[in-house]
Amino acid sequence: MLPADVAEHGRLDLQHEMLKKQRGGLFYAPQAIKRALAPREDSQPSVLDVGSGSGSWVIEMGRLFPHAEVVGLDLAPANLSSTPPPNCRFECDDANLGLLHHKGCFDVVNASCVTQGLGITNYRKFMDEVVEILRPGGVFLTVAGDLHVHDENRNILPLINEGEPAKGPGVDAIPKIYNWLQDQGNAWESIGQKIVYIPLGPWEDDMSEENKQISEFMRQNFFRMIQSVRPLLLSYGWFDETVDKWSAGAHEEVKILKNKYYIRVCQGVVWDGLSADYLDHWFFTWAIKPGQTI
């Protein structure tokens, strides 16, 4: 687990802004979201954000859809940077304990950067529960990635290992969400995925000013993540000296933008000890449940 202190929630606010700029908004599949959250006479549309972190996505969704109820769920209280609108609320709970007591309660479920090993212990089971808690016509949104490093031709590079950790999810533990959505078959009327590359620092040629800003947000997010993940790596059994070496090396190489490497990453984490400039590979997926709530 990552920490839930003010510093980490500040990093999550930065990451939220970066992803929002990259998407051009709070979500993909806007027509499906607007249809699912359209005002109706007999019930109030409702949104659940699993692993709501700093609460930024919850607050902005509440402002965008003032007629809907927007609920943030996390293990720890959010360190809110602004006052939430009255249609927003936050609950402290563990999604791993089950969500079926919310069966049929939500029109949109969002899970951004809440992956196996970093929040959800059994993501496939979690996805089955999401189907149950969504109303007909509901939408499931996710953001995720993996931890493989790529060269500038986007070929996967072997990791540099200094012994194996005692435990931990490893680079292959990030769930293959899009494939799992397909495995769920008729549970979904349609599914989609958008893969986005974000430079970890403005090293690409001919970048627009907006893309430079997005890539700089990603670099600053990475710098902050270095400190956030240290306790997590130690809990997996890595030695202090190894983690400190990786931290210092990664910080310096990303700072000077020496080489050009790509990395598929969830939440901007890289722990490989490579001298590199990086480009983050983000996976945005969505799935729409059959039917319509009247």
Side-chain angles (χ1 to χ4, degrees), residues 4-6 8-17 20 26 47-63 70-85 87-91 110 112:
D5 54 19
V6 173
E8 171 60 11
H9 281 177
R11 185 194 68 78
L12 292 175
D13 284 337
L14 177 67
Q15 180 174 274
H16 168 75
E17 290 299 320
K20 184 173 68 171
L26 295 172
V47 179
L48 176 65
D49 186 19
V50 179
S52 52
S54 64
S56 294
W57 193 87
V58 171
I59 291 173
E60 293 195 34
M61 282 292 287
R63 291 171 179 162
V70 186
V71 181
L73 182 70
D74 209 310
L75 289 172
N79 294 293
L80 301 177
S81 57
S82 61
T83 302
N87 60 323
C88 293
R89 62 184 173 88
F90 292 88
E91 296 183 0
N110 181 61
S112 180

Side-chain angles (χ1 to χ4, degrees), residues 271-287:
W271 295 108
D272 52 62
L274 291 172
S275 300
D277 295 346
Y278 304 98
L279 186 143
D280 280 353
H281 193 181
W282 296 84
F283 295 81
F284 300 87
T285 58
W286 56 90

Side-chain angles (χ1 to χ4, degrees), residues 1-55:
M1 290 296 215
L2 296 177
D5 54 19
V6 173
E8 171 60 11
H9 281 177
R11 185 194 68 78
L12 292 175
D13 284 337
L14 177 67
Q15 180 174 274
H16 168 75
E17 290 299 320
M18 181 267 296
L19 292 174
K20 184 173 68 171
K21 282 183 174 293
Q22 180 64 47
R23 281 184 302 230
L26 295 172
F27 43 77
Y28 285 115
Q31 292 183 343
I33 296 293
K34 292 174 182 178
R35 183 172 60 248
L37 297 179
R40 44 186 182 256
E41 294 183 0
D42 297 332
S43 62
Q44 182 182 25
S46 190
V47 179
L48 176 65
D49 186 19
V50 179
S52 52
S54 64

Side-chain angles (χ1 to χ4, degrees), residues 187-257:
W188 305 113
E189 179 180 87
S190 64
I191 61 176
Q193 177 176 245
K194 186 173 181 64
I195 300 173
V196 176
Y197 289 87
I198 302 176
L200 191 48
W203 55 263
E204 288 188 327
D205 296 331
D206 302 321
M207 297 180 73
S208 67
E209 289 302 314
E210 182 177 34
N211 285 338
K212 287 180 181 178
Q213 184 181 38
I214 292 170
S215 66
E216 185 57 36
F217 278 173
M218 189 66 256
R219 178 159 59 170
Q220 295 304 318
N221 179 50
F222 173 81
F223 288 151
R224 299 187 189 190
M225 175 63 83
I226 289 174
Q227 297 304 315
S228 294
V229 301
R230 189 178 191 279
L232 183 67
L233 293 174
L234 293 175
S235 73
Y236 290 159
W238 296 106
F239 294 117
D240 290 71
E241 297 81 0
T242 301
V243 173
D244 290 342
K245 178 183 176 181
W246 288 344
S247 299
H251 189 285
E252 182 63 20
E253 296 300 339
V254 172
K255 179 180 178 181
I256 65 176
L257 298 176

